[in-house]
Amino acid sequence: MHHGPLIAIIVAGLGLAFVFGAIAQKLRISPLVGYLLAGVAAGPFTPGFVGDQNLANELAEIGVILLMFGVGLHFSLKELLSVKAIAVPGAIVQIAVATLLGLGLALLLGWNWTAGLLFGIALSTASTVVLLRALQERRLVQTEKGKIAVGWLIVEDLAMVLALVAIPAVASAINGGQPGASSPLAAQFDLGLWGVLGITVAKVAAFIAFMLIVGRRVIPWALHWVAHTGSRELFRLAVLAVALGVAFLSATLFGVSFALGAFFAGMILSESPLSQRAAEETLPLRDAFAVLFFVSVGMLFDPGILVRAPWALIGTLAIILIGKSVAAWLIVRAFGRSNAVALTISASLAQIGEFSFILAGLGASLGILPAQGRDLILAGAILSILFNPVMFALAERLKPTEGATAKPKPESAPAAETASAPATAEATPEPPAEPEHDITPTNLSNHIVVVGYGRVGSLLGAGLLAQGAKLLVIEDNPDAVETAKRDGAELLVGNAADPEVLAAAAVGRATRLFVAIPGSFEAGQVCQQARAENTSLPIVARAHSDAEVEHLTKCGATLTIMGEAEIARAMLSLCGSLKAAAEPPPAETDPAQEPPAEPARNEPTAIARQPTQKTQSPPPADTPTAA
């Protein structure tokens, strides 16, 4: 059997993406740049292997569906509402400014208005992946500036979803009855642009109503039923079937895009308690197809645009890096936020990414956007992602100017003024300064650190708090974070495998470390770094297999508890009491023969009544469970 083009493009795409992504990671650049360059290497504009572009586009479509499904899963109306006063108007104004700048550049290049508007919209939206990763690396997600940036991004995402709905309708009206037209009914009756938009809005409204009435009930019910079967494989398949199936049916029955269908499927599922598990189960496949999506986008990029249209590329970069940043800074400052907040948001939005690629591909396929426009968007994305760390560094350097312009305290003051100063200070207390990062080192000592506050960690933490222990929890899952806050534990929000987070937990001063996360790879990193920080620290970890026990022990765990083994021990310890309840009571003369010292053993009463079962009870190795 010989391989076909499908296998070739998957193998080459993933292989090249790994190589270029690893190089990008080594250079401390976003791996997205590596994935795009892998596509350039596999594309028709560079020598060597050339992948099948049609197959790459099909695989990219799956990547778009899974990406949009993930966006819907993580869509947080609560986060948006918490910063709606600035995020909603700010994002709308910034999108409008960037769109007008893009339109102006397009008109200078001789394009029509439609191409210019699409070009400007594609330049107006930032990459979700790049923005969130940049905020996480700088510990800014839980700060005010981080929440505003995330809320701003949500508004941009919603605007792009609406653009994905409107663009085919506009293309249909422009193309008339040509194959690119998405509404044969509108073409047949010559309804024009507004008629096409009306039909499109009606279809979208029907789809939304269907999802809210039917999907909101059927999808969570189906996933709960599958979850209760206990089959992880079946649950994973169910989630993928929902994402792909809803996207396909939305396009087939309602004529809306795959992206919109997948977004609503994720948004409906995000209301379910199973949303976190759904996100975790689909993450590997979503990441793989997202990589293939970025590779397919890179295959479309013609590097010759760097030579053929350098000034157009400089103009595109100026809109992304300067135009958007200045607009965002002015908007944030107009809302009364500090210079530091404005600079952080400006730097985080100074790039474009996945939505821009989707819009560029859709516009080119519908004949709205010229090939040069697609190339400029791709080149602008690659270069803006490369320059994004530079923008953050520039923002950091400009921040001290805020302190320099602050009101200086007078070194000396008249006596009357000095006397009235305390009263004034009490009347108008200065608000506490917002921390620059969302990780503040703990002041605890002789404390216990618990990594992970899920099913195991929350039970452990609640027990330790009930005993009056000084407890510090490290967690990055929002639901678990809220649970830890309710329980009253001191909290560090972050990944414990990050040395900076572990250092902030002061493991060098801790008395014990419990690693309660299920992933042995990440748990091993935590154990290894904690052991290097504190060579005498007792470290207790959890595992699911003998191989994981061995791995965690090598990484520095003092004691590793295997959940399955402890369940078996507990079942064996109850075996005696179950047999005692099933067997007839012994003769009345038997208790007199029983040694008097046996009932004094510190064992459960049900087991103590059956001295003959003591050999079946486990040895005192149950003590790890108590730990």
Side-chain angles (χ1 to χ4, degrees), residues 117-478:
L117 285 172
L118 179 56
F119 182 69
I121 292 171
L123 298 184
S124 69
T125 178
S127 165
T128 304
V129 178
V130 175
L131 186 145
L132 288 178
R133 187 166 297 177
L135 294 178
Q136 287 168 354
E137 286 175 355
R138 291 161 179 83
R139 314 293 166 210
L140 296 171
V141 177
Q142 298 299 320
T143 62
E144 180 198 18
K145 59 192 79 169
K147 291 176 181 177
I148 293 174
V150 171
W152 198 297
L153 188 68
I154 291 173
V155 177
E156 285 191 350
D157 288 353
L158 289 175
M160 294 309 110
V161 169
L162 294 176
L164 290 174
V165 173
I167 287 171
V170 173
S172 176
I174 292 174
N175 295 334
Q178 294 177 14
S182 62
S183 177
L185 183 65
Q188 181 180 353
F189 293 99
D190 193 21
L191 297 180
L193 175 60
W194 293 108
V196 172
L197 287 174
I199 291 176
T200 302
V201 170
K203 288 180 178 179
V204 172
F207 169 68
I208 293 174
F210 176 80
M211 290 299 293
L212 293 178
I213 296 171
V214 180
R216 201 172 191 177
R217 291 169 173 79
V218 173
I219 292 174
W221 172 83
L223 287 179
H224 277 278
W225 180 85
V226 173
H228 281 98
T229 65
S231 171
R232 185 174 181 178
E233 178 182 347
L234 196 60
F235 181 81
R236 186 182 295 121
L237 286 173
V239 175
L240 292 172
V242 166
L244 298 172
V246 170
F248 182 78
L249 290 176
S250 66
T252 305
L253 299 180
F254 297 96
V256 302
S257 66
F258 286 144
L260 182 64
F263 174 79
F264 266 92
M267 194 171 67
I268 293 295
L269 187 53
S270 69
E271 300 177 0
S272 167
L274 295 171
S275 61
Q276 182 64 30
R277 184 179 169 192
E280 292 171 355
E281 294 294 336
T282 57
L283 186 61
L285 194 64
R286 192 167 78 234
D287 284 349
F289 276 98
V291 166
L292 290 176
F293 163 68
F294 291 120
V295 170
S296 71
V297 169
M299 290 175 67
L300 297 171
F301 175 60
D302 180 7
I305 193 73
L306 301 173
V307 178
R308 291 196 307 270
W311 292 110
L313 179 56
I314 291 173
T316 303
L317 272 177
I319 293 172
I320 299 170
L321 298 178
I322 301 173
K324 287 175 60 179
S325 298
V326 172
W329 185 85
L330 290 173
I331 293 165
V332 176
R333 292 292 281 167
F335 277 89
R337 293 308 198 275
S338 68
N339 191 39
V341 173
L343 286 170
T344 299
I345 293 173
S346 299
S348 63
L349 297 173
Q351 37 81 18
I352 60 175
E354 52 273 10
F355 265 116
S356 304
F357 304 150
I358 296 171
L359 290 171
L362 182 62
S365 65
L366 294 174
I368 299 177
L369 188 69
Q372 185 188 26
R374 181 191 61 199
D375 290 338
L376 288 174
I377 291 171
L378 297 182
I382 295 173
L383 294 175
S384 66
I385 293 172
L386 278 171
F387 283 124
N388 196 239
V390 178
M391 297 297 290
F392 269 100
L394 185 60
E396 288 293 329
R397 294 198 62 175
L398 292 175
K399 279 180 186 177
T401 60
E402 183 183 14
T405 58
K407 282 185 182 180
K409 286 187 176 181
E411 295 182 8
S412 61
E417 189 178 342
T418 306
S420 64
T424 307
E426 286 180 11
T428 57
E430 210 169 296
E434 183 208 349
E436 280 297 312
H437 304 283
D438 55 5
I439 289 187
T440 305
T442 182
N443 294 321
L444 292 176
S445 59
N446 298 320
H447 58 292
I448 296 174
V449 179
V450 174
V451 176
Y453 213 72
R455 290 178 298 174
V456 175
S458 58
L459 292 173
L460 173 63
L464 291 171
L465 289 169
Q467 296 174 12
K470 292 189 288 185
L471 181 64
L472 175 69
V473 174
I474 303 177
E475 180 58 80
D476 58 1
N477 180 278

